[in-house]
Amino acid sequence: MNTRPAIDESTGPVSLTVGFNQDSSCFAVGLDTGFCVFNSDPCELKVSRDFNAGIGATEMLGKANYIALVGGGKNPKFPTHKLIIWDDAKQVAAVTLEFRSQVLQARLSRSQILVALLNSVSLYAFSSPPKKVSSFETADNPSGLCCLGSSIIAFPGRTPGQVQMVEISTGNVSIIPAHGSPLKAMTLSPNGQLLATASETGTLIRLFSTINCARISEFRRGVDPAAIFSLAISPSNALLAVTSDKATLHIFNLPHANSTSTSRNNSSIHVIPSSRSSSPYSALDRPVSSSSSSDTTSNKQKWGILGKLPLLPRLFSDAYSFASAPIAIDDDPYSSLSLNGMAKPSVPIPGIPGGKARKGVVGWLDDSTIVVVGAGRDGRWEKFVIGNGEAGRWVGRQGWKRYLGG
């Protein structure tokens, strides 16, 4: 007869998703019981709403009272095919947009709403009621990747690995063949002039100019494949932060994009062709060299004289991060312990992009301060600072906190 006491799994609310507002001063957390909003630094609770039902996606509009919500978890508050613009001042749904399939992500500005589904994105004017401006087909986009800038939107193209960029004012479309495998992460710089992308392979991060779609630089995260969690560019557009399932935060120098600031092609569709080569690898998978002096410094620090030898594999001459630090990945919300203390396999979370809680989401507070947050049963907030030492610049964790308590 088994006399062991039952394991009590009622550990309070579980975070399903997490995301920063536009300037990373706050972050919103979707819970299996509602949602809450925290200050980024110090990590302090600002708002908590108990719906007794789950929220699978959140998107803040700066520090305004509007927040985009999508139902999620085992007991979703809203149908997963509806996007709710929640007015927290009145605590009512101010706007409801209904679609034929699950809403994976939304982006907000004071004038636009961008919504990502599995195979399409739609742009709306933020009005009452919202007016649909345009819609675009995409390749399978299970993570709901999309970026909303002041003048452009960016999202996966119809072919895996491609990026579509659209000028909001004119509707002109630019197609960038960014990677040879499906996209996993993408982000726009604060000034909207740079676009960083990563594929499902997770070894290379590429940087493009949004002005003329030129590839500016390329960075190597590592040699082994990895799932990229988050990309974020610093407020000065000079640094790039990258997190992955290797439980590591990488910091890269970004070259200046002044040389690429030429006008866009006036045609309605502009395709950036890839170069042909006799190499067994496609042009999209092949690393490119960088002329940035900061990249050269990173290479010297990584491999020393090996980075200068001409016949060695390209990984010896690629641009690497100048600093890195470990991050907490924690557990998945719907994993639990069996009676023998072993972890059970995690169950895909209904209504959550990819079926997994978001991890390693990066926000820049300033050019030397980074906050990394992750969802999960043991969701954490971590603060990192970048400093200078005798051996060069470094990044280190200054503090951490379980933002849900416990």
Side-chain angles (χ1 to χ4, degrees):
M1 179 178 179
N2 185 1
T3 59
R4 296 180 185 177
I7 295 176
D8 183 8
E9 295 185 354
S10 58
T11 57
V14 171
S15 56
L16 305 179
T17 187
V18 61
F20 288 97
N21 64 351
Q22 285 77 9
D23 64 0
S24 300
S25 59
C26 301
F27 63 94
V29 180
L31 306 170
D32 59 353
T33 59
F35 77 90
C36 50
V37 176
F38 292 83
N39 276 323
S40 293
D41 189 30
C43 181
E44 294 178 344
L45 180 66
K46 291 183 61 181
V47 174
S48 180
R49 300 290 177 246
D50 189 354
F51 294 151
N52 197 29
I55 297 297
T58 63
E59 173 72 4
M60 298 180 66
L61 177 58
K63 293 185 178 180
N65 53 300
Y66 291 108
I67 180 170
L69 303 175
V70 181
K74 295 179 179 178
N75 178 32
K77 168 64 176 176
F78 308 108
T80 58
H81 67 282
K82 291 184 178 181
L83 174 69
I84 307 298
I85 306 297
W86 179 263
D87 184 344
D88 198 62
K90 299 178 180 179
Q91 296 195 34
V92 297
V95 174
T96 300
L97 292 173
E98 186 171 348
F99 302 88
R100 294 183 179 180
S101 61
Q102 178 185 342
V103 177
L104 297 175
Q105 189 56 267
R107 301 297 180 201
L108 300 181
S109 71
R110 294 191 177 275
S111 56
Q112 279 95 25
I113 303 172
L114 184 63
V115 184
L117 310 180
L118 179 62
N119 294 113
S120 67
V121 298
S122 297
L123 181 66
Y124 292 81
F126 201 153
S127 56
S128 183
K131 180 182 178 181
K132 190 172 185 178
V133 176
S134 55
S135 184
F136 303 89
E137 293 183 5
T138 70
D140 283 354
N141 182 19
S143 298
L145 300 179
C146 59
C147 299
L148 174 60
S150 59
S151 60
I152 64 168
I153 58 176
F155 47 89
R158 298 168 112 184
T159 301
Q162 286 186 349
V163 174
Q164 290 188 70
M165 287 198 307
V166 182
E167 289 185 84
I168 296 174
S169 60
T170 65
N172 288 352
V173 179
S174 299
I175 301 174
I176 303 175
H179 298 271
S181 55
L183 297 172
K184 183 63 176 177
M186 61 192 305
T187 190
L188 285 172
S189 61
N191 65 5
Q193 295 183 8
L194 300 174
L195 173 72
T197 65
S199 72
E200 290 183 351
T201 305
T203 54
L204 298 172
I205 294 94
R206 289 184 171 136
L207 187 71
F208 300 89
S209 166
T210 62
I211 297 173
N212 59 11
C213 302
R215 184 158 67 185
I216 299 173
S217 192
E218 179 179 80
F219 311 101
R220 180 171 288 277
R221 179 212 55 81
V223 178
D224 297 330
I228 300 298
F229 286 154
S230 181
L231 303 174
I233 297 175
S234 66
S236 68
N237 312 291
L239 300 173
L240 171 68
V242 180
T243 57
S244 72
D245 65 353
K246 298 296 185 181
T248 306
L249 166 70
H250 290 274
I251 311 297
F252 297 86
N253 285 313
L254 296 185
H256 294 291
N258 295 337
S259 59
T260 64
S261 47
T262 58
S263 61
R264 286 179 180 268
N265 192 306
N266 292 326
S267 62
S268 59
I269 299 181
H270 183 47
V271 181
I272 308 301
S274 59
S275 58
R276 296 184 178 181
S277 171
S278 58
S279 167
Y281 301 99
S282 71
L284 301 182
D285 294 323
R286 207 171 51 246
V288 297
S289 61
S290 170
S291 59
S292 168
S293 61
S294 60
D295 294 341
T296 304
T297 302
S298 298
N299 296 342
K300 291 179 180 178
Q301 294 174 347
K302 181 75 175 179
W303 298 111
I305 193 172
L306 293 178
K308 298 180 179 181
L309 300 181
L311 299 180
L312 291 179
R314 286 297 304 270
L315 67 91
F316 289 101
S317 57
D318 284 341
Y320 287 78
S321 61
F322 68 80
S324 62
I327 62 171
I329 292 183
D330 303 325
D331 59 355
D332 287 321
Y334 289 171
S335 64
S336 58
L337 296 178
S338 62
L339 292 178
N340 62 7
M342 300 296 290
K344 296 179 182 179
S346 60
V347 178
I349 307 171
I352 303 296
K356 295 183 178 181
R358 293 195 70 189
K359 305 288 186 179
V361 182
V362 177
W364 287 87
L365 303 184
D366 54 51
D367 273 10
S368 61
T369 310
I370 301 167
V371 169
V372 178
V373 292
R377 192 180 300 277
D378 188 31
R380 296 195 187 193
W381 167 94
E382 297 178 277
K383 179 180 178 181
F384 296 85
V385 295
I386 299 173
N388 290 290
E390 294 182 358
R393 284 181 294 174
W394 51 267
V395 60
R397 191 172 75 173
Q398 192 178 63
W400 69 278
K401 180 179 182 180
R402 291 185 176 91
Y403 56 77
L404 294 180

